[in-house]
Amino acid sequence: MSSTTSPFPDRIELAGEGLVLRDWTEADLAAMPDLFDHPDIAHWTPIASPFDEAAARTRLDRARRLRAEGTAVLLAITVDGRAPLGEVMLRRAPEGTEIGYAVGPAHRGRGLAARAVRVMAAYAFERLGAERVILELEAENAASVAVATKAGFSLLDVPLIEGEEKGRPYVLQTWALDLP
């Protein structure tokens, strides 16, 4: 898909719930390792590990490519549009509109992920015409289950998704939030 057919604009900034979700920039590259180079993120997400400045560059380039293709948008989670505290992702796929997230270890416990998920879900409903957004997460990931619950998602009675990432098998549950 070319950038002219992408459902995503060239620039996105979403505000709500005390957050500003914005595009990653070159200026964020140095901050990204502190956010993503952590055992929890390595274990529960497909984000590269170890995560250094080279991985940050690769992630920024990938984010830009996915946006241009119309596949996904990755936004920095901030409280004021400045320092990134984590990331929220929206991916359009045949199985649905999926949201993912990761919050840097120093910024956890503040409800950032749940708030970012709600803001991103509102964007999917209002701007992309989604009727349902989903989260795919492991039942053992208590923090993500808490985010799903706080963000208003419900566990669906659908088949589990089994796979392997980084040499580790996983089983994902599907949680959903429907258009209000």
Side-chain angles (χ1 to χ4, degrees), residues 19-35:
L19 300 177
V20 176
L21 308 180
R22 62 159 176 82
D23 292 316
W24 288 105
T25 68
E26 302 288 326
D28 296 321
L29 290 172
M32 291 171 81
D34 285 341
L35 299 175

Side-chain angles (χ1 to χ4, degrees), residues 34-35 38 85 103-110 112:
D34 285 341
L35 299 175
H38 189 270
L85 310 174
V103 173
H107 310 292
R108 294 180 185 163
R110 298 166 47 191
L112 296 170

Side-chain angles (χ1 to χ4, degrees), residues 23-160:
D23 292 316
W24 288 105
T25 68
E26 302 288 326
D28 296 321
L29 290 172
M32 291 171 81
D34 285 341
L35 299 175
F36 300 132
D37 192 35
H38 189 270
D40 285 349
I41 291 176
H43 184 79
W44 297 116
T45 76
I47 293 174
S49 179
F51 196 96
D52 55 15
E53 287 199 39
R57 166 52 62 196
T58 299
R59 188 150 186 87
L60 179 61
D61 292 346
R62 181 174 179 265
R64 289 174 174 167
R65 186 183 82 255
L66 291 172
R67 163 92 56 95
E69 292 170 354
T71 304
V73 61
L74 287 74
L75 301 177
I77 300 170
T78 78
V79 293
D80 57 7
R82 294 184 191 105
L85 310 174
E87 176 178 86
V88 63
M89 175 270 306
L90 184 138
R91 181 176 72 94
R92 296 180 62 122
E95 61 273 14
T97 301
E98 179 186 0
I99 296 176
Y101 46 86
V103 173
H107 310 292
R108 294 180 185 163
R110 298 166 47 191
L112 296 170
R115 291 187 285 153
V117 166
R118 286 191 297 262
V119 171
M120 190 64 96
Y123 174 79
F125 294 140
E126 295 165 11
R127 301 279 181 88
L128 302 178
E131 294 185 15
R132 168 178 277 179
V133 292
I134 61 172
L135 304 174
E136 295 175 343
L137 51 96
E138 294 181 62
E140 297 81 17
N141 187 341
S144 277
V145 170
V147 167
T149 303
K150 287 177 189 173
F153 284 67
S154 300
L155 180 60
L156 296 180
D157 184 17
V158 298
L160 298 173

